[in-house]
Amino acid sequence: MEWLQILVLAAVQGLTEFLPVSSSAHLILVPVLTTWEDQGLAFDVALHVGSLTAVMVYFRNEILQIVRSSLAVVKGGAINEDARLGLWIVVATLPVCIIGFLLQDIISTYMRSTLIIGISLIGFGLLLGYADYFKRGTKSEYQMGWKEVMIIGFSQALALIPGTSRSGISMTAALMVGMSREGAARFSFLLSIPVILLAGGLEAIKLLRQPQAIDWLSLTAGTLLSGVIAYLCIHFFLLVIKKIGMQPFVVYRVLFGAWLIWFFHF
């Protein structure tokens, strides 16, 4: 692979995995706007590994507390806020796993058109704007109950529709149930860990079944670049989200979605 291709793909993955703008909508443009061949499954796995590493490193302290508290509960200890947050992450991940398993063939066959992506960008973008402007509250990720967790979990399954954005729809649902911008973003990022792990694991299994030679240099570079960019994206997003809100991303989604529909269908 060309180094420019590695950099572009790593940047697209690192940024769009966590910003509420849809990675699928952006990745579709790479082969359209360039002459590069498809990067292949192995490189996709490498990019996911980079994103997963970034979010786990960034939230390493929270993850360690969740693991410690959860193990203490297993040994008979009381449930504290960290153990409860770990439970909420598991519960909120179940809907996307079940629905994704049942509908993966339908989604991959019938729902990957640029028209659907464009409509999803606009529609779910406007919903994000509404939630941020009218429904935002003050709850943190530690102040949720079963109702809030189930709403966020089932909303995350909507991200199976290309153009929706997993981070975008989970933040939208979190804002809808009264969470703060920071709380919504942090919970969305923590939710990404099992989702990326499962998605990357499935791709890795497919990769092991392929006989093609692997370009380890390109994979390593892609993993590192994707991880660094994703880490910086998480860091700066959490720094500025309280000040700028979600509206700039809403405007971007609407304009981008409209451009996709116009470019591919008119």
Side-chain angles (χ1 to χ4, degrees), residues 100-167:
F101 176 78
L102 295 175
L103 301 180
Q104 58 180 330
D105 292 336
I106 295 176
I107 293 169
S108 61
T109 304
Y110 300 106
M111 303 187 70
R112 298 193 65 85
S113 73
T114 51
L115 180 60
I116 289 178
I117 291 175
I119 293 173
S120 297
L121 278 167
I122 296 171
F124 288 111
L126 292 174
L127 186 62
L128 173 62
Y130 172 80
D132 181 56
Y133 195 80
F134 292 104
K135 296 294 185 178
R136 184 179 80 252
T138 58
K139 294 179 183 177
S140 74
E141 64 270 31
Y142 294 99
Q143 296 174 304
M144 296 181 295
W146 279 100
K147 179 182 178 181
E148 291 92 342
V149 172
M150 293 307 296
I151 290 174
I152 296 171
F154 276 99
S155 72
Q156 190 174 219
L158 291 171
L160 295 168
I161 303 172
T164 302
S165 171
R166 189 213 58 81
S167 60

Side-chain angles (χ1 to χ4, degrees), residues 53-227:
T53 303
V55 70
M56 292 188 70
V57 170
Y58 192 89
F59 289 101
R60 60 191 180 278
N61 293 328
E62 289 86 345
I63 294 171
L64 184 59
Q65 288 299 323
I66 289 171
V67 172
R68 285 176 175 172
S69 298
S70 299
L71 290 175
V73 171
V74 172
K75 294 178 181 178
I79 298 179
N80 61 14
E81 63 178 9
D82 292 308
R84 188 177 295 108
L85 180 58
L87 175 61
W88 291 161
I89 292 171
V90 173
V91 171
T93 302
L94 292 177
V96 71
C97 294
I98 296 171
I99 296 174
F101 176 78
L102 295 175
L103 301 180
Q104 58 180 330
D105 292 336
I106 295 176
I107 293 169
S108 61
T109 304
Y110 300 106
M111 303 187 70
R112 298 193 65 85
S113 73
T114 51
L115 180 60
I116 289 178
I117 291 175
I119 293 173
S120 297
L121 278 167
I122 296 171
F124 288 111
L126 292 174
L127 186 62
L128 173 62
Y130 172 80
D132 181 56
Y133 195 80
F134 292 104
K135 296 294 185 178
R136 184 179 80 252
T138 58
K139 294 179 183 177
S140 74
E141 64 270 31
Y142 294 99
Q143 296 174 304
M144 296 181 295
W146 279 100
K147 179 182 178 181
E148 291 92 342
V149 172
M150 293 307 296
I151 290 174
I152 296 171
F154 276 99
S155 72
Q156 190 174 219
L158 291 171
L160 295 168
I161 303 172
T164 302
S165 171
R166 189 213 58 81
S167 60
I169 195 63
S170 58
M171 290 182 202
T172 298
L175 292 168
M176 282 284 195
V177 298
M179 292 183 70
S180 66
R181 288 167 177 161
E182 304 95 305
R186 290 174 66 86
F187 189 58
S188 173
F189 292 153
L190 288 170
L191 273 181
S192 73
I193 295 174
V195 172
I196 298 175
L197 185 61
L198 291 170
L202 290 174
E203 289 184 340
I205 292 173
K206 295 178 183 177
L207 177 62
L208 292 175
R209 296 173 179 172
Q210 295 183 357
Q212 291 92 340
I214 296 176
D215 181 359
W216 290 106
L217 180 60
S218 295
L219 297 190
T220 303
T223 301
L224 291 174
L225 288 170
S226 174

